[in-house]
Amino acid sequence: MKTFLKYIISTALLAMLFVPTTVDAQRMPKKHKNAPDYTIVIVTNPLVENFDASEYPHLRFYYTPEEMPHFLDVLHQVRPIPPKEGMYGMVVDKEGTIAYTRAFSDGISRNQDNRDETNFHMLNVAAPKGRGDSRKLEDFLKDYVIRAKAAKKDNKKSYTPGQVPSYKGWDKGQIEGLELPDFDLVAQDGTETTIKEILGGNPGYIVFTQISEDGKTVSPLLWHIEHILYNYFPPRR
């Protein structure tokens, strides 16, 4: 009987020690289950050498050359990339087809608190209505980046280098279903590269933004992406 009581007491003590550890583990920040390994950030202005990218370890920064790539230039004329006081997001599948696009307002990140998972954040934002699939960003990341499904390609949409597309919907910035054209970029260390080389045949999440010449003024959505997608506190129960 004494042996049994000792066993019960020992088990209870172990349980008491384990519960706080489990609770602490649940509160620890972690990568969101539908976040890509990293997010590609395209800065639509020339290289800013003074920018400290170390604050965003899961974001990889690339800049447009002195001369804006033609595709981005003509796209910007029909849909601002990025919008004023915001950011432009894009999900690309494993074959390079654009599956999701959306402009995000800096207002999403006014409350910089990744400890409350009930806050409205980037992953909740749905694709614009009238463009087919209108699910949330999180659903697109889950299907096309995490599960590597193929997005529906629209054969009526095409881009020829040096020419402005004329397909129906281009004037409204509708590029979902279009294969993302290749274009030149410059890495944070000054290395020249292209978007195709960066993707390497893999799906990805791309955001377009701007950074001031002194590297100090950035969209607060950079913090938002780093902490909502990669430093995320899981739901509390």
Side-chain angles (χ1 to χ4, degrees):
M1 185 68 178
K2 290 183 178 180
T3 302
F4 179 72
L5 286 174
K6 287 182 179 179
Y7 172 77
I8 294 297
I9 293 171
S10 299
T11 303
L13 288 172
L14 285 172
M16 291 173 66
L17 291 171
F18 178 73
V19 169
T21 303
T22 303
V23 172
D24 289 341
Q26 289 180 341
R27 291 177 179 173
M28 290 295 290
K30 65 178 183 179
K31 174 178 174 291
H32 191 279
K33 63 182 179 180
N34 291 321
D37 291 336
Y38 58 88
T39 293
I40 298 169
V41 180
I42 296 179
V43 183
T44 56
N45 53 260
L47 175 64
V48 180
E49 296 180 355
N50 295 330
F51 173 64
D52 183 8
S54 65
E55 294 185 29
Y56 314 96
H58 297 93
L59 278 56
R60 296 187 180 179
F61 291 85
Y62 301 91
Y63 299 78
T64 52
E66 290 291 340
E67 183 177 349
M68 180 71 72
H70 182 263
F71 174 72
L72 298 182
D73 185 33
V74 294
L75 177 59
H76 183 70
Q77 294 175 29
V78 294
R79 183 191 286 190
I81 51 169
K84 185 178 181 181
E85 297 184 353
M87 192 174 280
Y88 183 76
M90 177 186 295
V91 175
V92 179
D93 78 353
K94 60 185 177 182
E95 297 177 355
T97 301
I98 300 170
Y100 168 101
T101 64
R102 181 79 199 204
F104 300 100
S105 168
D106 285 346
I108 295 178
S109 60
R110 281 177 185 155
N111 180 16
Q112 293 194 348
D113 181 9
N114 62 332
R115 295 173 183 270
D116 186 354
E117 69 284 346
T118 63
N119 280 346
F120 182 77
H121 52 70
M122 181 177 282
L123 292 171
N124 298 136
V125 181
K129 293 182 179 180
R131 294 185 182 173
D133 199 333
S134 59
R135 294 176 298 158
K136 298 183 296 183
L137 170 59
E138 180 179 356
D139 296 324
F140 283 88
L141 291 174
K142 179 179 179 180
D143 281 349
Y144 302 117
V145 177
I146 304 303
R147 294 180 175 176
K149 292 183 178 180
K152 184 178 180 180
K153 188 172 182 178
D154 190 338
N155 293 322
K156 295 180 180 179
K157 295 180 179 179
S158 63
Y159 166 78
T160 301
Q163 298 181 21
V164 178
S166 58
Y167 64 78
K168 183 178 180 181
W170 169 262
D171 59 334
K172 298 179 181 178
Q174 296 178 5
I175 57 174
E176 296 83 359
L178 173 71
E179 181 179 345
L180 180 64
D182 199 13
F183 49 83
D184 295 333
L185 292 169
V186 179
Q188 186 67 51
D189 63 3
T191 304
E192 295 181 356
T193 184
T194 69
I195 187 60
K196 294 290 187 183
E197 290 178 354
I198 295 166
L199 288 169
N202 298 308
Y205 181 46
I206 305 170
V207 295
F208 296 79
T209 188
Q210 288 192 323
I211 296 176
S212 63
E213 292 184 6
D214 61 7
K216 296 180 179 179
T217 303
V218 302
S219 168
L221 283 171
L222 293 180
W223 185 99
H224 186 83
I225 295 172
E226 177 65 38
H227 291 278
I228 294 298
L229 271 67
Y230 303 102
N231 199 22
Y232 179 84
F233 284 78
R236 295 183 288 277
R237 299 183 186 280

